[in-house]
Amino acid sequence: MSTSSPGVAVVVGGASGIGLASARRLRASGFDLVIADINDEAAGTVAAELDGRAIHLDVTDEGSVTTGFAGIEDLRAVVNCAGLSIPGAITELELAGWQTTVDICLTGSFLVLKHAGRHIADGGSITMIASLNGRQPGTGMAAYCAAKAGVLMLVEVAALELAERGVRVNAVSPGLVQTPLTEPLSFIPGLTEEYLENTPLGRVGQPDDVAATVAFLASADAGWMTGAAIDLNGGAHLQRYPDILGKVRALAQP
Ligand code: NAI
């Protein structure tokens, strides 16, 4: 570990997309990095690029989260980027799809907060990647919307509880960001267009748009910020989410 480092930053889900961009930003800020992901190969590649180390961590498995955080010293910053969405109308969504989404997005956030909260140094920073869908409903996204809304409240409770040690807990709520997670959406005709019509700044996000705010939250410049949810979406929260279900159903029409 370098002597000038502000400490160790763990990026959960750091092997791809927003997590990868966040890891690069945090490294540029001087943190020593741990990339914690279920994708061991990609995590290893990112860790090698950033002179850090990779650990296997599954946010849905408490044993894995416990072990992952227990082995880390001088922990100063944690970012949780693990997430996915199993889509489906409420009347059609399989319970398993609901549970998988809630397990990874909401229960996973709880487990990361629980074990990061135990091990992080006083004055540290924990950032959860929530979503525009935590406050803005989208058809076909019941599980994801509900889970991310839960993450926003979880962050507020954690901010209250961890403040006595000076640990700050915040959420970042991105709108549509181009990553491997959202690539399938680009194949739904008209979806991106409808999103952009409802986005005042007129563009989708790139992972680095989110990473810049993640790095800010981990820095001393955000030292008075806790319990916040930062909307990062080109203004899309001011308008409405595209009708994904309507578009998918139109595709299925002969
Ligand atoms: P991504 O799919 O590119 O990256 C997610 C990473 O999380 C991957 O490296 C994956 O291996 C890891 N991961 C998945 N399940 C895991 C588990 N159980 N334990 C540990 N790691 C796991 O996705 P992206 O787009 O970078 O998303 C990151 C976060 O941002 C997610 O929470 C997502 O819900 C949220 N988000 C993404 C938006 C977007 O438009 N891309 C918009 C709003 C929120």
Side-chain angles (χ1 to χ4, degrees), residues 12-19 36-39 57-60 80-84 104-105 129-133 144 148 173-182:
V12 179
S16 174
I18 291 168
D37 205 290
I38 45 167
N39 185 336
L57 189 149
D58 178 351
V59 296
T60 67
N80 180 24
C81 307
L84 56 63
I104 294 179
C105 293
I129 308 299
S131 171
L132 169 61
N133 295 119
Y144 187 74
K148 292 294 188 176
S173 296
L176 184 59
V177 180
Q178 280 179 328
T179 70
L181 182 73
T182 54

PDB file of all heavy atoms in Angstrom, residues 12-19 36-39 57-60 80-84 104-105 129-133 144 148 173-182, ligand 1:
ATOM      1  N   VAL A  12     -17.672  -2.485  -4.363  1.00  0.00           N
ATOM      2  CA  VAL A  12     -18.457  -3.716  -4.544  1.00  0.00           C
ATOM      3  C   VAL A  12     -19.159  -3.603  -5.902  1.00  0.00           C
ATOM      4  O   VAL A  12     -19.805  -2.593  -6.190  1.00  0.00           O
ATOM      5  CB  VAL A  12     -19.487  -3.878  -3.408  1.00  0.00           C
ATOM      6  CG1 VAL A  12     -20.296  -5.150  -3.626  1.00  0.00           C
ATOM      7  CG2 VAL A  12     -18.791  -3.902  -2.052  1.00  0.00           C
ATOM      8  N   GLY A  13     -19.009  -4.637  -6.716  1.00  0.00           N
ATOM      9  CA  GLY A  13     -19.508  -4.536  -8.096  1.00  0.00           C
ATOM     10  C   GLY A  13     -18.587  -3.660  -8.935  1.00  0.00           C
ATOM     11  O   GLY A  13     -19.026  -2.993  -9.873  1.00  0.00           O
ATOM     12  N   GLY A  14     -17.311  -3.684  -8.597  1.00  0.00           N
ATOM     13  CA  GLY A  14     -16.352  -2.794  -9.253  1.00  0.00           C
ATOM     14  C   GLY A  14     -15.768  -3.337 -10.541  1.00  0.00           C
ATOM     15  O   GLY A  14     -14.891  -2.717 -11.138  1.00  0.00           O
ATOM     16  N   ALA A  15     -16.253  -4.479 -11.002  1.00  0.00           N
ATOM     17  CA  ALA A  15     -15.663  -5.104 -12.188  1.00  0.00           C
ATOM     18  C   ALA A  15     -16.255  -4.593 -13.500  1.00  0.00           C
ATOM     19  O   ALA A  15     -15.776  -4.945 -14.571  1.00  0.00           O
ATOM     20  CB  ALA A  15     -15.830  -6.624 -12.101  1.00  0.00           C
ATOM     21  N   SER A  16     -17.289  -3.773 -13.433  1.00  0.00           N
ATOM     22  CA  SER A  16     -17.992  -3.380 -14.660  1.00  0.00           C
ATOM     23  C   SER A  16     -18.692  -2.039 -14.473  1.00  0.00           C
ATOM     24  O   SER A  16     -18.972  -1.614 -13.340  1.00  0.00           O
ATOM     25  CB  SER A  16     -19.030  -4.461 -15.001  1.00  0.00           C
ATOM     26  OG  SER A  16     -19.845  -4.084 -16.097  1.00  0.00           O
ATOM     27  N   GLY A  17     -18.986  -1.386 -15.577  1.00  0.00           N
ATOM     28  CA  GLY A  17     -19.890  -0.236 -15.616  1.00  0.00           C
ATOM     29  C   GLY A  17     -19.555   0.877 -14.626  1.00  0.00           C
ATOM     30  O   GLY A  17     -18.423   1.394 -14.577  1.00  0.00           O
ATOM     31  N   ILE A  18     -20.548   1.265 -13.839  1.00  0.00           N
ATOM     32  CA  ILE A  18     -20.402   2.380 -12.900  1.00  0.00           C
ATOM     33  C   ILE A  18     -19.339   2.064 -11.846  1.00  0.00           C
ATOM     34  O   ILE A  18     -18.559   2.938 -11.443  1.00  0.00           O
ATOM     35  CB  ILE A  18     -21.770   2.678 -12.245  1.00  0.00           C
ATOM     36  CG1 ILE A  18     -22.732   3.278 -13.290  1.00  0.00           C
ATOM     37  CG2 ILE A  18     -21.633   3.599 -11.043  1.00  0.00           C
ATOM     38  CD1 ILE A  18     -24.185   3.336 -12.853  1.00  0.00           C
ATOM     39  N   GLY A  19     -19.288   0.801 -11.403  1.00  0.00           N
ATOM     40  CA  GLY A  19     -18.301   0.405 -10.403  1.00  0.00           C
ATOM     41  C   GLY A  19     -16.879   0.522 -10.944  1.00  0.00           C
ATOM     42  O   GLY A  19     -15.980   1.013 -10.252  1.00  0.00           O
ATOM     43  N   ALA A  36     -14.412  -5.824  -5.256  1.00  0.00           N
ATOM     44  CA  ALA A  36     -15.164  -6.944  -4.662  1.00  0.00           C
ATOM     45  C   ALA A  36     -16.347  -7.255  -5.564  1.00  0.00           C
ATOM     46  O   ALA A  36     -17.258  -6.438  -5.706  1.00  0.00           O
ATOM     47  CB  ALA A  36     -15.645  -6.544  -3.264  1.00  0.00           C
ATOM     48  N   ASP A  37     -16.330  -8.448  -6.155  1.00  0.00           N
ATOM     49  CA  ASP A  37     -17.334  -8.725  -7.195  1.00  0.00           C
ATOM     50  C   ASP A  37     -17.553 -10.241  -7.275  1.00  0.00           C
ATOM     51  O   ASP A  37     -16.715 -11.027  -6.824  1.00  0.00           O
ATOM     52  CB  ASP A  37     -16.805  -8.194  -8.542  1.00  0.00           C
ATOM     53  CG  ASP A  37     -17.915  -7.858  -9.535  1.00  0.00           C
ATOM     54  OD1 ASP A  37     -18.574  -8.808 -10.031  1.00  0.00           O
ATOM     55  OD2 ASP A  37     -18.126  -6.659  -9.809  1.00  0.00           O
ATOM     56  N   ILE A  38     -18.685 -10.636  -7.883  1.00  0.00           N
ATOM     57  CA  ILE A  38     -18.881 -12.067  -8.137  1.00  0.00           C
ATOM     58  C   ILE A  38     -18.160 -12.511  -9.405  1.00  0.00           C
ATOM     59  O   ILE A  38     -17.946 -13.696  -9.612  1.00  0.00           O
ATOM     60  CB  ILE A  38     -20.377 -12.467  -8.277  1.00  0.00           C
ATOM     61  CG1 ILE A  38     -21.137 -11.499  -9.158  1.00  0.00           C
ATOM     62  CG2 ILE A  38     -21.037 -12.622  -6.929  1.00  0.00           C
ATOM     63  CD1 ILE A  38     -22.500 -12.013  -9.560  1.00  0.00           C
ATOM     64  N   ASN A  39     -17.814 -11.566 -10.242  1.00  0.00           N
ATOM     65  CA  ASN A  39     -17.114 -11.885 -11.491  1.00  0.00           C
ATOM     66  C   ASN A  39     -15.606 -11.807 -11.230  1.00  0.00           C
ATOM     67  O   ASN A  39     -14.981 -10.754 -11.358  1.00  0.00           O
ATOM     68  CB  ASN A  39     -17.545 -10.902 -12.585  1.00  0.00           C
ATOM     69  CG  ASN A  39     -16.953 -11.253 -13.937  1.00  0.00           C
ATOM     70  OD1 ASN A  39     -15.915 -11.914 -14.022  1.00  0.00           O
ATOM     71  ND2 ASN A  39     -17.610 -10.821 -14.995  1.00  0.00           N
ATOM     72  N   LEU A  57     -16.797 -11.527  -3.731  1.00  0.00           N
ATOM     73  CA  LEU A  57     -17.815 -11.114  -2.761  1.00  0.00           C
ATOM     74  C   LEU A  57     -19.175 -11.152  -3.458  1.00  0.00           C
ATOM     75  O   LEU A  57     -19.357 -10.572  -4.530  1.00  0.00           O
ATOM     76  CB  LEU A  57     -17.509  -9.701  -2.235  1.00  0.00           C
ATOM     77  CG  LEU A  57     -18.366  -9.210  -1.059  1.00  0.00           C
ATOM     78  CD1 LEU A  57     -17.574  -8.247  -0.172  1.00  0.00           C
ATOM     79  CD2 LEU A  57     -19.641  -8.544  -1.530  1.00  0.00           C
ATOM     80  N   ASP A  58     -20.095 -11.880  -2.843  1.00  0.00           N
ATOM     81  CA  ASP A  58     -21.468 -11.951  -3.347  1.00  0.00           C
ATOM     82  C   ASP A  58     -22.366 -11.250  -2.331  1.00  0.00           C
ATOM     83  O   ASP A  58     -22.510 -11.728  -1.186  1.00  0.00           O
ATOM     84  CB  ASP A  58     -21.875 -13.422  -3.510  1.00  0.00           C
ATOM     85  CG  ASP A  58     -23.308 -13.579  -3.988  1.00  0.00           C
ATOM     86  OD1 ASP A  58     -24.057 -12.584  -4.040  1.00  0.00           O
ATOM     87  OD2 ASP A  58     -23.679 -14.723  -4.319  1.00  0.00           O
ATOM     88  N   VAL A  59     -22.982 -10.150  -2.735  1.00  0.00           N
ATOM     89  CA  VAL A  59     -23.744  -9.348  -1.760  1.00  0.00           C
ATOM     90  C   VAL A  59     -24.966 -10.080  -1.209  1.00  0.00           C
ATOM     91  O   VAL A  59     -25.534  -9.663  -0.211  1.00  0.00           O
ATOM     92  CB  VAL A  59     -24.200  -7.976  -2.336  1.00  0.00           C
ATOM     93  CG1 VAL A  59     -23.010  -7.102  -2.677  1.00  0.00           C
ATOM     94  CG2 VAL A  59     -25.138  -8.146  -3.528  1.00  0.00           C
ATOM     95  N   THR A  60     -25.369 -11.166  -1.863  1.00  0.00           N
ATOM     96  CA  THR A  60     -26.535 -11.916  -1.374  1.00  0.00           C
ATOM     97  C   THR A  60     -26.164 -12.992  -0.360  1.00  0.00           C
ATOM     98  O   THR A  60     -27.031 -13.684   0.166  1.00  0.00           O
ATOM     99  CB  THR A  60     -27.297 -12.581  -2.544  1.00  0.00           C
ATOM    100  OG1 THR A  60     -26.468 -13.605  -3.114  1.00  0.00           O
ATOM    101  CG2 THR A  60     -27.673 -11.574  -3.601  1.00  0.00           C
ATOM    102  N   ASN A  80     -21.081   0.713  -3.092  1.00  0.00           N
ATOM    103  CA  ASN A  80     -21.786  -0.507  -3.494  1.00  0.00           C
ATOM    104  C   ASN A  80     -22.483  -0.296  -4.829  1.00  0.00           C
ATOM    105  O   ASN A  80     -23.462   0.444  -4.927  1.00  0.00           O
ATOM    106  CB  ASN A  80     -22.814  -0.923  -2.448  1.00  0.00           C
ATOM    107  CG  ASN A  80     -23.546  -2.191  -2.871  1.00  0.00           C
ATOM    108  OD1 ASN A  80     -23.022  -2.977  -3.675  1.00  0.00           O
ATOM    109  ND2 ASN A  80     -24.732  -2.405  -2.348  1.00  0.00           N
ATOM    110  N   CYS A  81     -21.984  -0.986  -5.850  1.00  0.00           N
ATOM    111  CA  CYS A  81     -22.528  -0.853  -7.204  1.00  0.00           C
ATOM    112  C   CYS A  81     -23.174  -2.148  -7.680  1.00  0.00           C
ATOM    113  O   CYS A  81     -23.572  -2.241  -8.844  1.00  0.00           O
ATOM    114  CB  CYS A  81     -21.424  -0.489  -8.193  1.00  0.00           C
ATOM    115  SG  CYS A  81     -20.462   0.951  -7.720  1.00  0.00           S
ATOM    116  N   ALA A  82     -23.284  -3.152  -6.835  1.00  0.00           N
ATOM    117  CA  ALA A  82     -23.887  -4.420  -7.279  1.00  0.00           C
ATOM    118  C   ALA A  82     -25.390  -4.215  -7.463  1.00  0.00           C
ATOM    119  O   ALA A  82     -26.058  -3.665  -6.595  1.00  0.00           O
ATOM    120  CB  ALA A  82     -23.628  -5.510  -6.245  1.00  0.00           C
ATOM    121  N   GLY A  83     -25.896  -4.644  -8.589  1.00  0.00           N
ATOM    122  CA  GLY A  83     -27.331  -4.493  -8.814  1.00  0.00           C
ATOM    123  C   GLY A  83     -27.739  -5.070 -10.147  1.00  0.00           C
ATOM    124  O   GLY A  83     -26.911  -5.246 -11.050  1.00  0.00           O
ATOM    125  N   LEU A  84     -29.002  -5.399 -10.257  1.00  0.00           N
ATOM    126  CA  LEU A  84     -29.592  -5.803 -11.533  1.00  0.00           C
ATOM    127  C   LEU A  84     -31.106  -5.657 -11.428  1.00  0.00           C
ATOM    128  O   LEU A  84     -31.649  -5.394 -10.361  1.00  0.00           O
ATOM    129  CB  LEU A  84     -29.210  -7.238 -11.929  1.00  0.00           C
ATOM    130  CG  LEU A  84     -29.497  -8.403 -10.985  1.00  0.00           C
ATOM    131  CD1 LEU A  84     -30.977  -8.626 -10.716  1.00  0.00           C
ATOM    132  CD2 LEU A  84     -28.934  -9.684 -11.597  1.00  0.00           C
ATOM    133  N   ILE A 104     -30.459  -8.853  -4.424  1.00  0.00           N
ATOM    134  CA  ILE A 104     -29.208  -8.190  -4.835  1.00  0.00           C
ATOM    135  C   ILE A 104     -29.260  -6.695  -4.514  1.00  0.00           C
ATOM    136  O   ILE A 104     -28.323  -6.143  -3.935  1.00  0.00           O
ATOM    137  CB  ILE A 104     -28.927  -8.438  -6.331  1.00  0.00           C
ATOM    138  CG1 ILE A 104     -28.654  -9.922  -6.555  1.00  0.00           C
ATOM    139  CG2 ILE A 104     -27.756  -7.579  -6.809  1.00  0.00           C
ATOM    140  CD1 ILE A 104     -28.378 -10.326  -7.977  1.00  0.00           C
ATOM    141  N   CYS A 105     -30.353  -6.043  -4.900  1.00  0.00           N
ATOM    142  CA  CYS A 105     -30.379  -4.574  -4.762  1.00  0.00           C
ATOM    143  C   CYS A 105     -30.616  -4.117  -3.321  1.00  0.00           C
ATOM    144  O   CYS A 105     -29.953  -3.189  -2.853  1.00  0.00           O
ATOM    145  CB  CYS A 105     -31.461  -3.980  -5.666  1.00  0.00           C
ATOM    146  SG  CYS A 105     -31.106  -4.159  -7.429  1.00  0.00           S
ATOM    147  N   ILE A 129     -25.148   2.988  -4.692  1.00  0.00           N
ATOM    148  CA  ILE A 129     -25.727   3.391  -5.974  1.00  0.00           C
ATOM    149  C   ILE A 129     -27.187   2.955  -5.965  1.00  0.00           C
ATOM    150  O   ILE A 129     -27.492   1.754  -6.029  1.00  0.00           O
ATOM    151  CB  ILE A 129     -24.971   2.782  -7.173  1.00  0.00           C
ATOM    152  CG1 ILE A 129     -23.461   3.064  -7.084  1.00  0.00           C
ATOM    153  CG2 ILE A 129     -25.555   3.337  -8.476  1.00  0.00           C
ATOM    154  CD1 ILE A 129     -23.061   4.531  -7.081  1.00  0.00           C
ATOM    155  N   ALA A 130     -28.072   3.918  -5.841  1.00  0.00           N
ATOM    156  CA  ALA A 130     -29.513   3.639  -5.878  1.00  0.00           C
ATOM    157  C   ALA A 130     -29.956   3.761  -7.329  1.00  0.00           C
ATOM    158  O   ALA A 130     -29.359   3.149  -8.209  1.00  0.00           O
ATOM    159  CB  ALA A 130     -30.250   4.596  -4.944  1.00  0.00           C
ATOM    160  N   SER A 131     -30.970   4.566  -7.606  1.00  0.00           N
ATOM    161  CA  SER A 131     -31.428   4.733  -8.996  1.00  0.00           C
ATOM    162  C   SER A 131     -32.486   5.808  -9.075  1.00  0.00           C
ATOM    163  O   SER A 131     -33.230   6.046  -8.099  1.00  0.00           O
ATOM    164  CB  SER A 131     -32.026   3.424  -9.517  1.00  0.00           C
ATOM    165  OG  SER A 131     -32.658   3.620 -10.768  1.00  0.00           O
ATOM    166  N   LEU A 132     -32.599   6.428 -10.242  1.00  0.00           N
ATOM    167  CA  LEU A 132     -33.754   7.285 -10.558  1.00  0.00           C
ATOM    168  C   LEU A 132     -35.050   6.535 -10.244  1.00  0.00           C
ATOM    169  O   LEU A 132     -36.028   7.120  -9.778  1.00  0.00           O
ATOM    170  CB  LEU A 132     -33.688   7.644 -12.057  1.00  0.00           C
ATOM    171  CG  LEU A 132     -34.900   8.308 -12.703  1.00  0.00           C
ATOM    172  CD1 LEU A 132     -35.201   9.654 -12.044  1.00  0.00           C
ATOM    173  CD2 LEU A 132     -34.652   8.497 -14.201  1.00  0.00           C
ATOM    174  N   ASN A 133     -35.041   5.217 -10.459  1.00  0.00           N
ATOM    175  CA  ASN A 133     -36.246   4.409 -10.225  1.00  0.00           C
ATOM    176  C   ASN A 133     -36.548   4.195  -8.751  1.00  0.00           C
ATOM    177  O   ASN A 133     -37.575   3.619  -8.408  1.00  0.00           O
ATOM    178  CB  ASN A 133     -36.146   3.067 -10.953  1.00  0.00           C
ATOM    179  CG  ASN A 133     -36.116   3.235 -12.443  1.00  0.00           C
ATOM    180  OD1 ASN A 133     -35.146   2.860 -13.096  1.00  0.00           O
ATOM    181  ND2 ASN A 133     -37.155   3.835 -13.003  1.00  0.00           N
ATOM    182  N   TYR A 144     -37.442  -3.723  -9.156  1.00  0.00           N
ATOM    183  CA  TYR A 144     -36.283  -2.814  -9.133  1.00  0.00           C
ATOM    184  C   TYR A 144     -36.654  -1.487  -8.466  1.00  0.00           C
ATOM    185  O   TYR A 144     -35.911  -0.977  -7.619  1.00  0.00           O
ATOM    186  CB  TYR A 144     -35.815  -2.598 -10.569  1.00  0.00           C
ATOM    187  CG  TYR A 144     -34.530  -1.820 -10.716  1.00  0.00           C
ATOM    188  CD1 TYR A 144     -33.298  -2.410 -10.417  1.00  0.00           C
ATOM    189  CD2 TYR A 144     -34.529  -0.513 -11.190  1.00  0.00           C
ATOM    190  CE1 TYR A 144     -32.113  -1.703 -10.577  1.00  0.00           C
ATOM    191  CE2 TYR A 144     -33.352   0.202 -11.356  1.00  0.00           C
ATOM    192  CZ  TYR A 144     -32.145  -0.403 -11.052  1.00  0.00           C
ATOM    193  OH  TYR A 144     -30.965   0.305 -11.207  1.00  0.00           O
ATOM    194  N   LYS A 148     -34.971  -0.250  -5.015  1.00  0.00           N
ATOM    195  CA  LYS A 148     -34.150   0.972  -4.980  1.00  0.00           C
ATOM    196  C   LYS A 148     -34.755   2.027  -4.070  1.00  0.00           C
ATOM    197  O   LYS A 148     -34.031   2.794  -3.422  1.00  0.00           O
ATOM    198  CB  LYS A 148     -33.945   1.499  -6.403  1.00  0.00           C
ATOM    199  CG  LYS A 148     -33.080   0.590  -7.283  1.00  0.00           C
ATOM    200  CD  LYS A 148     -31.635   0.523  -6.788  1.00  0.00           C
ATOM    201  CE  LYS A 148     -30.737  -0.216  -7.768  1.00  0.00           C
ATOM    202  NZ  LYS A 148     -29.315  -0.209  -7.368  1.00  0.00           N
ATOM    203  N   SER A 173     -28.266   8.502  -7.208  1.00  0.00           N
ATOM    204  CA  SER A 173     -29.385   7.941  -7.975  1.00  0.00           C
ATOM    205  C   SER A 173     -29.229   8.288  -9.449  1.00  0.00           C
ATOM    206  O   SER A 173     -29.731   9.324  -9.911  1.00  0.00           O
ATOM    207  CB  SER A 173     -30.706   8.508  -7.448  1.00  0.00           C
ATOM    208  OG  SER A 173     -30.914   8.102  -6.113  1.00  0.00           O
ATOM    209  N   PRO A 174     -28.556   7.413 -10.210  1.00  0.00           N
ATOM    210  CA  PRO A 174     -28.365   7.724 -11.624  1.00  0.00           C
ATOM    211  C   PRO A 174     -29.629   7.449 -12.440  1.00  0.00           C
ATOM    212  O   PRO A 174     -30.425   6.568 -12.113  1.00  0.00           O
ATOM    213  CB  PRO A 174     -27.256   6.756 -12.068  1.00  0.00           C
ATOM    214  CG  PRO A 174     -26.757   6.091 -10.826  1.00  0.00           C
ATOM    215  CD  PRO A 174     -27.857   6.183  -9.824  1.00  0.00           C
ATOM    216  N   GLY A 175     -29.760   8.213 -13.523  1.00  0.00           N
ATOM    217  CA  GLY A 175     -30.727   7.861 -14.562  1.00  0.00           C
ATOM    218  C   GLY A 175     -30.095   6.846 -15.501  1.00  0.00           C
ATOM    219  O   GLY A 175     -29.207   6.086 -15.099  1.00  0.00           O
ATOM    220  N   LEU A 176     -30.533   6.832 -16.737  1.00  0.00           N
ATOM    221  CA  LEU A 176     -30.044   5.818 -17.688  1.00  0.00           C
ATOM    222  C   LEU A 176     -28.571   6.066 -18.036  1.00  0.00           C
ATOM    223  O   LEU A 176     -28.212   7.106 -18.579  1.00  0.00           O
ATOM    224  CB  LEU A 176     -30.901   5.860 -18.958  1.00  0.00           C
ATOM    225  CG  LEU A 176     -30.606   4.806 -20.018  1.00  0.00           C
ATOM    226  CD1 LEU A 176     -30.782   3.394 -19.470  1.00  0.00           C
ATOM    227  CD2 LEU A 176     -31.506   5.003 -21.244  1.00  0.00           C
ATOM    228  N   VAL A 177     -27.740   5.084 -17.696  1.00  0.00           N
ATOM    229  CA  VAL A 177     -26.294   5.159 -17.937  1.00  0.00           C
ATOM    230  C   VAL A 177     -25.920   4.008 -18.863  1.00  0.00           C
ATOM    231  O   VAL A 177     -26.386   2.876 -18.673  1.00  0.00           O
ATOM    232  CB  VAL A 177     -25.517   5.025 -16.604  1.00  0.00           C
ATOM    233  CG1 VAL A 177     -24.019   5.093 -16.839  1.00  0.00           C
ATOM    234  CG2 VAL A 177     -25.951   6.098 -15.612  1.00  0.00           C
ATOM    235  N   GLN A 178     -25.075   4.296 -19.854  1.00  0.00           N
ATOM    236  CA  GLN A 178     -24.675   3.243 -20.795  1.00  0.00           C
ATOM    237  C   GLN A 178     -23.656   2.303 -20.157  1.00  0.00           C
ATOM    238  O   GLN A 178     -22.490   2.677 -19.971  1.00  0.00           O
ATOM    239  CB  GLN A 178     -24.093   3.870 -22.057  1.00  0.00           C
ATOM    240  CG  GLN A 178     -25.178   4.344 -23.001  1.00  0.00           C
ATOM    241  CD  GLN A 178     -24.621   4.990 -24.264  1.00  0.00           C
ATOM    242  OE1 GLN A 178     -23.559   5.610 -24.245  1.00  0.00           O
ATOM    243  NE2 GLN A 178     -25.345   4.846 -25.356  1.00  0.00           N
ATOM    244  N   THR A 179     -24.114   1.106 -19.810  1.00  0.00           N
ATOM    245  CA  THR A 179     -23.254   0.073 -19.216  1.00  0.00           C
ATOM    246  C   THR A 179     -23.720  -1.285 -19.757  1.00  0.00           C
ATOM    247  O   THR A 179     -24.790  -1.377 -20.368  1.00  0.00           O
ATOM    248  CB  THR A 179     -23.388   0.037 -17.675  1.00  0.00           C
ATOM    249  OG1 THR A 179     -24.680  -0.467 -17.346  1.00  0.00           O
ATOM    250  CG2 THR A 179     -23.190   1.389 -17.024  1.00  0.00           C
ATOM    251  N   PRO A 180     -22.986  -2.348 -19.460  1.00  0.00           N
ATOM    252  CA  PRO A 180     -23.462  -3.679 -19.878  1.00  0.00           C
ATOM    253  C   PRO A 180     -24.855  -3.996 -19.336  1.00  0.00           C
ATOM    254  O   PRO A 180     -25.642  -4.688 -19.995  1.00  0.00           O
ATOM    255  CB  PRO A 180     -22.411  -4.620 -19.288  1.00  0.00           C
ATOM    256  CG  PRO A 180     -21.162  -3.786 -19.242  1.00  0.00           C
ATOM    257  CD  PRO A 180     -21.619  -2.392 -18.900  1.00  0.00           C
ATOM    258  N   LEU A 181     -25.199  -3.447 -18.149  1.00  0.00           N
ATOM    259  CA  LEU A 181     -26.514  -3.723 -17.559  1.00  0.00           C
ATOM    260  C   LEU A 181     -27.651  -3.210 -18.432  1.00  0.00           C
ATOM    261  O   LEU A 181     -28.705  -3.849 -18.556  1.00  0.00           O
ATOM    262  CB  LEU A 181     -26.590  -3.063 -16.173  1.00  0.00           C
ATOM    263  CG  LEU A 181     -27.875  -3.268 -15.367  1.00  0.00           C
ATOM    264  CD1 LEU A 181     -27.931  -4.700 -14.850  1.00  0.00           C
ATOM    265  CD2 LEU A 181     -27.943  -2.283 -14.198  1.00  0.00           C
ATOM    266  N   THR A 182     -27.460  -2.039 -19.011  1.00  0.00           N
ATOM    267  CA  THR A 182     -28.556  -1.396 -19.749  1.00  0.00           C
ATOM    268  C   THR A 182     -28.480  -1.631 -21.254  1.00  0.00           C
ATOM    269  O   THR A 182     -29.351  -1.159 -21.988  1.00  0.00           O
ATOM    270  CB  THR A 182     -28.570   0.126 -19.479  1.00  0.00           C
ATOM    271  OG1 THR A 182     -27.266   0.650 -19.768  1.00  0.00           O
ATOM    272  CG2 THR A 182     -28.940   0.417 -18.030  1.00  0.00           C
TER     273      THR A 182
HETATM  274  P1  NAI B   1     -23.039  -3.590 -14.475  1.00  0.00           P
HETATM  275  O1  NAI B   1     -23.814  -4.814 -14.762  1.00  0.00           O
HETATM  276  O2  NAI B   1     -22.187  -2.995 -15.539  1.00  0.00           O
HETATM  277  O3  NAI B   1     -22.127  -3.823 -13.188  1.00  0.00           O
HETATM  278  C1  NAI B   1     -22.629  -4.460 -12.043  1.00  0.00           C
HETATM  279  C2  NAI B   1     -21.489  -5.171 -11.350  1.00  0.00           C
HETATM  280  O4  NAI B   1     -22.043  -5.775 -10.159  1.00  0.00           O
HETATM  281  C3  NAI B   1     -20.877  -6.298 -12.177  1.00  0.00           C
HETATM  282  O5  NAI B   1     -19.473  -6.246 -12.095  1.00  0.00           O
HETATM  283  C4  NAI B   1     -21.429  -7.559 -11.520  1.00  0.00           C
HETATM  284  O6  NAI B   1     -20.567  -8.687 -11.660  1.00  0.00           O
HETATM  285  C5  NAI B   1     -21.562  -7.113 -10.075  1.00  0.00           C
HETATM  286  N1  NAI B   1     -22.508  -7.918  -9.334  1.00  0.00           N
HETATM  287  C6  NAI B   1     -23.714  -8.379  -9.751  1.00  0.00           C
HETATM  288  N2  NAI B   1     -24.283  -9.136  -8.793  1.00  0.00           N
HETATM  289  C7  NAI B   1     -23.427  -9.135  -7.740  1.00  0.00           C
HETATM  290  C8  NAI B   1     -23.454  -9.734  -6.458  1.00  0.00           C
HETATM  291  N3  NAI B   1     -24.471 -10.526  -6.088  1.00  0.00           N
HETATM  292  N4  NAI B   1     -22.426  -9.515  -5.616  1.00  0.00           N
HETATM  293  C9  NAI B   1     -21.375  -8.746  -6.003  1.00  0.00           C
HETATM  294  N5  NAI B   1     -21.289  -8.163  -7.227  1.00  0.00           N
HETATM  295  C10 NAI B   1     -22.299  -8.358  -8.075  1.00  0.00           C
HETATM  296  O7  NAI B   1     -24.132  -2.530 -13.941  1.00  0.00           O
HETATM  297  P2  NAI B   1     -24.096  -0.948 -13.807  1.00  0.00           P
HETATM  298  O8  NAI B   1     -24.972  -0.390 -14.835  1.00  0.00           O
HETATM  299  O9  NAI B   1     -22.723  -0.451 -13.657  1.00  0.00           O
HETATM  300  O10 NAI B   1     -24.900  -0.768 -12.437  1.00  0.00           O
HETATM  301  C11 NAI B   1     -24.250  -0.512 -11.199  1.00  0.00           C
HETATM  302  C12 NAI B   1     -25.313  -0.084 -10.197  1.00  0.00           C
HETATM  303  O11 NAI B   1     -25.923   1.117 -10.646  1.00  0.00           O
HETATM  304  C13 NAI B   1     -26.446  -1.095  -9.988  1.00  0.00           C
HETATM  305  O12 NAI B   1     -26.844  -1.074  -8.634  1.00  0.00           O
HETATM  306  C14 NAI B   1     -27.561  -0.524 -10.847  1.00  0.00           C
HETATM  307  O13 NAI B   1     -28.831  -0.909 -10.369  1.00  0.00           O
HETATM  308  C15 NAI B   1     -27.326   0.965 -10.642  1.00  0.00           C
HETATM  309  N6  NAI B   1     -27.891   1.801 -11.665  1.00  0.00           N
HETATM  310  C16 NAI B   1     -27.530   1.642 -12.977  1.00  0.00           C
HETATM  311  C17 NAI B   1     -28.089   2.454 -13.947  1.00  0.00           C
HETATM  312  C18 NAI B   1     -27.751   2.321 -15.374  1.00  0.00           C
HETATM  313  O14 NAI B   1     -28.459   2.937 -16.191  1.00  0.00           O
HETATM  314  N7  NAI B   1     -26.724   1.593 -15.771  1.00  0.00           N
HETATM  315  C19 NAI B   1     -29.069   3.484 -13.593  1.00  0.00           C
HETATM  316  C20 NAI B   1     -29.354   3.576 -12.191  1.00  0.00           C
HETATM  317  C21 NAI B   1     -28.778   2.753 -11.271  1.00  0.00           C
END
